[in-house]
Amino acid sequence: MTNRVIDWPTFIGALILLLLVTVPLIIFPEEGKLYVDAANTYVTTNFGVLYLLMGIAVFFFLVYVAFSENGRVKLGEKEERPEFNDFSWAGMLFCAGIGSSILYWATIEWAYYYQGPPFGIEPGSRQAIVWSSTYGIFHWGPIAWAIYTLPALPMAYFYYVRKSPVLKVSEATRPLIGKLADGPLGTLIDVLFIFGLLGGAGTTLALGTPMIAEGINRLTGLETNMIMNVGILAGVTLIFGISAYSGLRKGIKILSDLNLFLAFFLLAFMYVLGPTRFITETTTNSIGVLLDNFFHMSTWTEPFNRLGPFTKSGFPEAWTVFYWAWWLVYAPFVGLFVAKISRGRTIKQMILGTIIYGTIGSLLFFGVMGNYGLHLQLTGQLDVISILNNEGAPVAILDVISTLPWAPFIILIFTVLAIIFLATTFDSSSYILASVVQKEVADEPLRWNRLFWAFALCLLPLTLMFLGGLDTLQTASIVGGFPLIFIMIMLAWSFMKASNRDIEVSDQYKPKVINLNYKKILEKLRRGKKKQEPPQKGPVDAHFEEDDPNR
Ligand code: NM2
């Protein structure tokens, strides 16, 4: 059974690529770091603009699709209602796509922009402060969520409309590459995706673990060291291993409901007991600044600074390009996951839901947690920036949290929330990795397979954490995620090609919701073909049915 279901070339291919990258990094950490850093500089300097263009193009493409005929197509049967209610759906998608990094960056990202603002602005100036509370929202906002949503389109379409029981990135490019999806090209696409995701998840762990360790230190007084980090990783792996093992409807859903509840609690607590008016005013102001400058921010490349008398800040590469690359390596995973939970919704609902709920979620975190910290800085209650510069981000983050009333209690909530946020991203990651290395996913991927990836996700960062090569891996994965830009284009193209053709054949143009019956479409196409072709070309018929879904 297992032998037939598992797609061994992809499974082994992903493991080999991973070993090929990590073993040299383990043996030659210094040289490895040099090479990877050089590759990173090369890609972000020369192709940074491609990332920016990709971001804005994806955003407008999705807005177009949502309001086009294609957006009305329902993912599932005519009478079918959404499998999960809106609250659980939004919660699951947010928790899958967002890990503990949001607690990290929402609390501290402003402090980096405060001292290193964009657009040549004076550090620490009034303008810098305005941007410091705006830029984080942009980097976690509509474009970022659009990058997450795009892969969901073809994947959900093929899974629920065309009823192909395969949850794979390569499968979603089939209309474009046809039978090549079953060969080495398909395998390469899936392997690149797995590689990118493992690295992106490594970045998440590298940021999340020290922050959780700092939280535990404040609660228990235990020293933050390697043993603690390993313990945290083991604990998180155990939680998400169990969750991934018990599946989508039980473990993953329960954990993400709990995650949402705790997150709302923490945000409400900070908002009500913190400087409520400052938070409200600054967030509102930032939304305006963001809307006003949306295009400028999404296309800012600093072009003249390389030539003229001005120095180059490197802000676009260090932040926007880095972020888009990070969202990109996670995108096919989140896309697959969103596709899986979106049964019974229309494409439009799926697109707008992901972008809007996602952005609102990020906005709440950055608005409340970021402006809470900014307020401490501006009022002189806590010099967050000096702490950040002298003692590092995890200490600064926990210092900010510690200023809240009932500090020990709230640190506990914060730490538990970080652990669950990590676990919810990782349980859905292992679920999806398992799906991608299977030829078929009838309902859920095989259990042992889900568990295998749960451990693979942690084992690698763990090894590298010991050897101190984790940041090299992060950079490597982000560079390694570069081909995903082209895979994104293929995914968009495939979706349009397949869905335009299906809608055309089905003659369903007017209704609000388009219910496509793919069997009937194939039937119609066959009949159409019969009329045109002379009867002696009979065998073409069978060929057509097999081949045509590939178009
Ligand atoms: N993104 C959203 O670590 C995490 O929170 C997971 C990070 C891509 C910046 C995703």
Side-chain angles (χ1 to χ4, degrees):
M1 158 83 178
T2 297
N3 271 334
R4 269 188 289 125
V5 172
I6 297 291
D7 172 1
W8 289 110
T10 312
F11 196 113
I12 309 272
L15 281 184
I16 291 182
L17 179 63
L18 209 61
L19 292 177
L20 276 182
V21 175
T22 41
V23 172
L25 285 182
I26 292 173
I27 306 177
F28 310 106
E30 256 121 63
E31 292 87 341
K33 189 171 164 42
L34 283 182
Y35 277 111
V36 171
D37 284 347
N40 183 42
T41 313
Y42 182 79
V43 170
T44 52
T45 324
N46 291 303
F47 301 107
V49 63
L50 258 188
Y51 280 93
L52 299 184
L53 288 173
M54 178 270 306
I56 194 124
V58 165
F59 179 74
F60 281 109
F61 171 72
L62 288 180
V63 173
Y64 164 76
V65 172
F67 294 99
S68 68
E69 289 290 334
N70 315 62
R72 294 191 201 158
V73 173
K74 184 155 179 183
L75 301 166
E77 306 305 327
K78 203 166 177 182
E79 306 303 330
E80 210 163 9
R81 313 235 341 116
E83 185 178 357
F84 297 101
N85 67 39
D86 275 3
F87 185 78
S88 280
W89 182 78
M92 277 205 271
L93 97 92
F94 193 80
C95 296
I98 299 292
S100 50
S101 311
I102 200 161
L103 297 176
Y104 186 105
W105 289 116
T107 319
I108 208 70
E109 196 161 323
W110 64 268
Y112 289 90
Y113 303 143
Y114 193 114
Q115 21 177 3
F119 309 128
I121 287 165
E122 187 68 27
S125 64
R126 198 188 173 94
Q127 274 301 308
I129 296 170
V130 171
W131 285 112
S132 76
S133 95
T134 306
Y135 241 101
I137 303 174
F138 173 68
H139 286 147
W140 292 72
I143 292 191
W145 282 96
I147 296 176
Y148 264 9
T149 315
L150 185 117
L153 255 60
M155 288 159 187
Y157 190 81
F158 297 123
Y159 199 69
Y160 290 124
V161 177
R162 289 197 167 185
K163 308 228 169 354
S164 139
V166 190
L167 269 176
K168 273 173 185 267
V169 187
S170 58
E171 187 60 25
T173 57
R174 191 179 283 278
L176 216 57
I177 62 173
K179 286 243 179 297
L180 293 179
D182 302 314
L185 184 61
T187 308
L188 180 70
I189 291 177
D190 291 326
V191 166
L192 282 175
F193 150 64
I194 296 175
F195 177 68
L197 178 56
L198 286 171
T203 311
T204 296
L205 276 182
L207 291 172
T209 317
M211 182 175 74
I212 294 171
E214 190 62 36
I216 295 179
N217 163 277
R218 309 274 165 126
L219 292 168
T220 60
L222 289 173
E223 205 189 317
T224 51
N225 53 19
M226 209 53 201
I227 301 176
M228 165 114 76
N229 284 344
V230 173
I232 292 169
L233 265 185
V236 172
T237 315
L238 191 72
I239 298 176
F240 80 76
I242 294 174
S243 165
Y245 184 79
S246 63
L248 193 56
R249 289 175 199 93
K250 264 205 214 127
I252 297 182
K253 185 170 173 304
I254 294 174
L255 215 50
S256 87
D257 284 351
L258 176 66
N259 192 349
L260 275 199
F261 173 77
L262 285 180
F264 276 128
F265 176 80
L266 178 72
L267 291 178
F269 190 91
M270 277 183 119
Y271 180 61
V272 174
L273 297 183
T276 312
R277 198 181 51 152
F278 177 84
I279 290 177
T280 319
E281 286 179 1
T282 316
T283 308
T284 309
N285 190 61
S286 300
I287 295 174
V289 175
L290 173 60
L291 290 175
D292 242 9
N293 295 281
F294 184 74
F295 292 108
H296 191 185
M297 295 160 96
S298 49
T299 53
W300 183 46
T301 49
E302 260 194 328
F304 309 119
N305 288 0
R306 259 177 244 172
L307 308 170
F310 313 106
T311 47
K312 190 169 149 54
S313 72
F315 186 106
E317 291 88 356
W319 290 103
T320 314
V321 172
F322 163 75
Y323 259 124
W324 283 188
W326 193 12
W327 287 84
L328 185 66
V329 290
Y330 264 98
F333 142 61
V334 182
L336 278 165
F337 190 75
V338 170
K340 181 83 179 113
I341 61 176
S342 295
R343 181 183 200 136
R345 290 170 192 273
T346 61
I347 301 240
K348 176 180 182 176
Q349 287 169 336
M350 186 176 79
I351 294 178
L352 296 184
T354 317
I355 297 183
I356 294 173
Y357 287 133
T359 302
I360 292 178
S362 302
L363 181 70
L364 288 178
F365 277 93
F366 277 78
V368 174
M369 301 185 81
N371 291 323
Y372 179 85
L374 179 61
H375 187 260
L376 293 176
Q377 180 78 35
L378 293 177
T379 53
Q381 290 175 63
L382 186 74
D383 189 356
V384 185
I385 293 183
S386 306
I387 303 173
L388 170 69
N389 296 345
N390 297 325
E391 289 169 79
V395 175
I397 293 168
L398 264 296
D399 277 358
V400 169
I401 302 297
S402 305
T403 57
L404 282 160
W406 303 326
F409 168 68
I410 220 66
I411 292 175
L412 178 70
I413 299 280
F414 181 87
T415 311
V416 170
L417 187 59
I419 293 176
I420 300 183
F421 249 129
L422 259 186
T424 51
T425 301
F426 277 75
D427 61 8
S428 17
S429 304
S430 29
Y431 186 92
I432 288 304
L433 286 171
S435 309
V436 173
V437 299
Q438 282 192 201
K439 286 187 202 139
E440 258 189 46
V441 182
D443 181 33
E444 302 210 289
L446 300 177
R447 279 201 162 150
W448 73 261
N449 190 15
R450 300 196 304 248
L451 268 190
F452 174 83
W453 288 102
F455 285 104
L457 271 175
C458 272
L459 215 57
L460 180 72
L462 194 71
T463 323
L464 287 164
M465 213 145 88
F466 264 118
L467 295 155
L470 194 52
D471 50 343
T472 312
L473 177 75
Q474 286 165 32
T475 328
S477 80
I478 302 230
V479 179
F482 184 61
L484 287 174
I485 294 192
F486 305 101
I487 296 180
M488 288 290 260
I489 298 173
M490 288 168 79
L491 290 173
W493 194 342
S494 284
F495 168 75
M496 288 311 275
K497 194 169 172 190
S499 107
N500 279 344
R501 194 210 62 174
D502 292 355
I503 295 175
E504 204 175 300
V505 174
S506 78
D507 298 329
Q508 285 206 50
Y509 273 92
K510 296 286 167 286
K512 245 183 134 180
V513 173
I514 300 179
N515 290 290
L516 293 179
N517 184 329
Y518 193 52
K519 264 200 183 141
K520 276 196 190 148
I521 291 175
L522 279 180
E523 194 58 38
K524 258 191 166 179
L525 273 169
R526 210 177 32 218
R527 268 190 272 119
K529 189 102 179 170
K530 261 189 190 150
K531 258 184 249 152
Q532 293 158 13
E533 310 251 341
Q536 67 265 33
K537 285 206 174 163
V540 170
D541 230 18
H543 173 70
F544 188 70
E545 169 145 25
E546 237 181 44
D547 241 5
D548 202 58
N550 302 348
R551 296 212 232 158

